[in-house]
Structure formats: structure tokens, C-alpha cells
Amino acid sequence: MITGKPGIQYYHSLQPINITIENHYFEDSGQISIKHNDSFLYFKNGPMSSGHTHSDENSFCLYYQNKPIFVDPGRYTYMEIEKRYSLKSANMHNVCVIDHNPPEIIKDSWDYDKYPQPIYTYFKKDKNSYYIEGSYYDYTVKNQIYIYKRKIVMIEDDIWLVIDIVILQGKHSVSTRFMLDSDVGYENGLINNLKIVSQSEYKAEKSYISKRYNEVEATIQLIKEEQFEDNYIGANVICDKSYEVIEHKVYQVGSVQPLNNAISYEFKNELKNYLVVIINEEIHTGNKLCVVDGIKFRGKCVIYDKKKGIKIRLRS
């Protein structure tokens, strides 16, 4: 370690390195970071590392055009106060919450009485596309076990498809939450130069984050509420506002009934045209080959570049 005046001189002599594309998967901690041009995505679903850990399983942060969009709420303080506890909770992170009950029970600034149990995290990159999958299990207040799985598809630096899956017997509610940075502009579904597309409407609610120790500032949290029975599959499209977003049905070859557990979106602007297909369960009956918009494919996550005629399989 270089300290003192030589260290200061050495620091000022360093030249910045412009990193355009880089990704890392930290398998032991369940953390993934993706840098693609001016966008950055961070995802976390892994074991509790220390008492500093927040209830942020399956949460992610997103920068677009070098500006923070979806953020971690921060820490604020180590005093034993309610605002400190709120910032640790899943309610303040970019996740889904079941029946308005976050998966954790906070004891104090350092400990929990209950915490969700991560199952696995998966990551794959191919060409200009990335696939993330994470899941955990937890128990409801009525001691029902449930599984929450999140999938994220990222294409280049301006398309993200976030899919949330919950498996829980009975009738329940799910709230999907996105915490915005305090400097982000949000109006009519536009988040700066991004648009968010969902099957249900997001509502903007007042909230707060802590960018610096002992300081909080006002921001907005986007929240949508949905009802489900036994199984929930929800899709959230986040992309540059220049894209036309088209939803497609997914069929098994030879069938006229669409697959209920599949999701497909097409992203189209003057320069790009991508088709994304996600199959959320094993196809255990009938043809394993599927078709979307006249294009045949096989796999649980496939991207088709219509401009170049290239298929990318990110999940078999």
C-alpha cells in the first residue's frame, strides 16, 4: 500500500480506463454485474454475508446512459430507529413482495428473526445478450412455503425483460416494486429515456433513499399490485423509448392453443429488431419445438435477431 505524499502523487498519475463491455458472475455470493457500453446492471441472490446484509434477494440495480435509474435505498444510519429498519426491508428494494408481507423479519440494525433462503443463481452470456435467473424460498405468515423466482434478459445496453414467478397455493397478492433514483424524472410511464411496459399499471408513490450516511432524500417508488391463485407469472419490459414493443403468443408446433407458461416480446426500432421468447416450465406433453411469429425455436430462453437472422439460446 502506498501512503502519504507518494501515494497521492501516484493516485493523480493514474490514467482512466474506458471499459465498454465487461461482466462478472460471483458464484459463491450470488452476485452478477454487467457493464455494456453506457449501461450497468447489478443483481444479487445469495447467502447472507454479514450483519450488514439487507433483504435484497432477487433485487437488481440499473444504470442507463451512465445515470442511476433503479437503485438500492442505502443505509442511512446504525441507530435503532424505524427508518433504518425500513431501508433494510424488501419493501424498499427492487423485488416482489407477497401479501404485503416482506420475506424478512428485522430484529435490529444487525440481525433478523427471519430471512429468505436463496436456492440458486444462474448466469449466461452469448454475444450481446445476457440471462440471469435467481430464486429463493420463504414462508408466509400462515407458514405456507412459497418459491419466488426472477429472470432477467438483457440485450445490449437498452433492453431488459424482467420476469417474476411465484408459486404459492391459494389466493394471494403480489406487489412489484422499483425504487427510482432521486434525480430521475418520471412521467407517463417514462423514466428518463426509458419506458416501462407491464400488463398492470404502475403507480408512483413517495418514498426516500439514503445516498450518504446520516442523510435521506425524497424519491419515487413505482409499485404495481396484482392478484393470483396458486401461480403467478408477471413480465416487466424496460427499454429505450425508441422501441416499439409487441407482445406475441407462443405455440407448440402443430398446436393452435398458446402455451400458458410462455412469454414473448418483440423490440423494434429503426436500427434493431429483436424477438425474445421465455418458456417458464418444462414442456412435458406434445412437441418440444415451438413457434413465435412464424419463427421456430427450441429452448427456455431464446433471442432472435431479425435484422441479422441470428438465434441466441441462453437457456436450454
Side-chain angles (χ1 to χ4, degrees):
M1 179 181 293
I2 301 176
T3 59
K5 188 175 181 179
I8 295 174
Q9 293 173 338
Y10 174 72
Y11 174 79
H12 287 296
S13 70
L14 295 175
Q15 298 298 313
I17 300 174
N18 184 26
I19 299 174
T20 56
I21 298 177
E22 186 175 56
N23 60 268
H24 297 281
Y25 174 29
F26 303 96
E27 187 173 357
D28 290 339
S29 62
Q31 299 182 70
I32 297 165
S33 65
I34 302 170
K35 172 74 167 64
H36 195 111
N37 297 332
D38 294 336
S39 292
F40 174 79
L41 177 74
Y42 167 79
F43 176 84
K44 185 254 183 176
N45 180 72
M48 180 181 287
S49 57
S50 70
H52 290 271
T53 301
H54 285 194
S55 183
D56 57 355
E57 303 292 358
N58 277 347
S59 185
F60 71 96
C61 298
L62 176 65
Y63 275 57
Y64 181 60
Q65 296 178 338
N66 287 322
K67 294 181 180 180
I69 305 296
F70 300 142
V71 298
D72 183 272
R75 188 167 299 277
Y76 178 47
T77 182
Y78 289 106
M79 293 188 296
E80 303 300 334
I81 58 176
E82 187 60 34
K83 188 163 287 188
R84 159 70 178 140
Y85 302 156
S86 294
L87 289 167
K88 290 181 65 175
S89 174
N91 279 334
M92 300 285 277
H93 288 80
N94 304 314
V95 297
C96 286
V97 175
I98 313 303
D99 293 336
H100 302 283
N101 293 302
E104 83 291 336
I105 298 177
I106 298 170
K107 181 178 181 181
D108 53 34
S109 286
W110 302 101
D111 297 315
Y112 294 86
D113 287 326
K114 183 171 82 75
Y115 194 81
Q117 302 298 309
I119 302 173
Y120 71 88
T121 303
Y122 174 87
F123 173 69
K124 186 173 181 179
K125 175 186 182 297
D126 192 341
K127 297 180 177 63
N128 61 350
S129 302
Y130 309 83
Y131 178 84
I132 296 170
E133 188 174 317
S135 68
Y136 71 72
Y137 74 87
D138 190 48
Y139 294 88
T140 68
V141 292
K142 295 182 179 180
N143 210 34
Q144 284 183 282
I145 190 170
Y146 70 89
I147 294 175
Y148 168 34
K149 181 184 293 185
R150 168 165 277 177
K151 302 175 181 181
I152 301 178
V153 178
M154 176 176 175
I155 304 176
E156 295 189 20
D157 59 355
D158 57 2
I159 295 173
W160 296 267
L161 175 58
V162 181
I163 296 175
D164 292 308
I165 300 170
V166 179
I167 302 171
L168 174 60
Q169 292 297 304
K171 295 182 179 180
H172 302 275
S173 68
V174 56
S175 61
T176 308
R177 299 161 174 266
F178 293 128
M179 184 70 73
L180 301 185
D181 184 75
S182 56
D183 294 327
V184 165
Y186 175 74
E187 187 175 3
N188 298 325
L190 287 180
I191 311 168
N192 285 5
N193 290 321
L194 291 174
K195 65 180 177 182
I196 183 166
V197 179
S198 175
Q199 295 147 329
S200 300
E201 180 184 359
Y202 275 95
K203 295 183 179 179
E205 298 189 3
K206 293 181 179 180
S207 190
Y208 56 88
I209 58 175
S210 175
K211 294 183 179 181
R212 300 172 186 84
Y213 192 56
N214 285 335
E215 295 181 17
V216 294
E217 51 190 281
T219 191
I220 290 173
Q221 188 178 35
L222 301 181
I223 302 177
K224 71 172 179 179
E225 299 279 350
E226 296 172 292
Q227 308 297 314
F228 71 95
E229 184 172 359
D230 298 338
N231 295 279
Y232 168 80
I233 300 177
N236 306 277
V237 170
I238 304 158
C239 64
D240 187 88
K241 64 183 182 181
S242 65
Y243 284 101
E244 177 188 2
V245 179
I246 306 166
E247 186 174 3
H248 289 284
K249 299 292 186 182
V250 182
Y251 299 88
Q252 292 173 271
V253 170
S255 175
V256 296
Q257 295 296 325
L259 284 172
N260 293 326
N261 60 10
I263 291 173
S264 178
Y265 285 95
E266 181 177 351
F267 301 86
K268 185 179 182 180
N269 63 16
E270 291 183 357
L271 300 175
K272 305 172 187 177
N273 191 357
Y274 292 107
L275 180 67
V276 182
V277 185
I278 302 287
I279 307 293
N280 291 302
E281 294 178 4
E282 293 288 344
I283 299 176
H284 52 80
T285 301
N287 203 321
K288 305 301 184 291
L289 191 66
C290 293
V291 61
V292 178
D293 194 31
I295 300 164
K296 295 180 180 179
F297 71 93
R298 185 189 297 270
K300 293 191 182 72
C301 178
V302 178
I303 297 171
Y304 180 61
D305 186 334
K306 287 190 171 183
K307 292 280 190 180
K308 299 178 180 178
I310 297 173
K311 290 181 183 177
I312 302 171
R313 184 183 293 111
L314 293 172
R315 195 75 154 117
S316 297

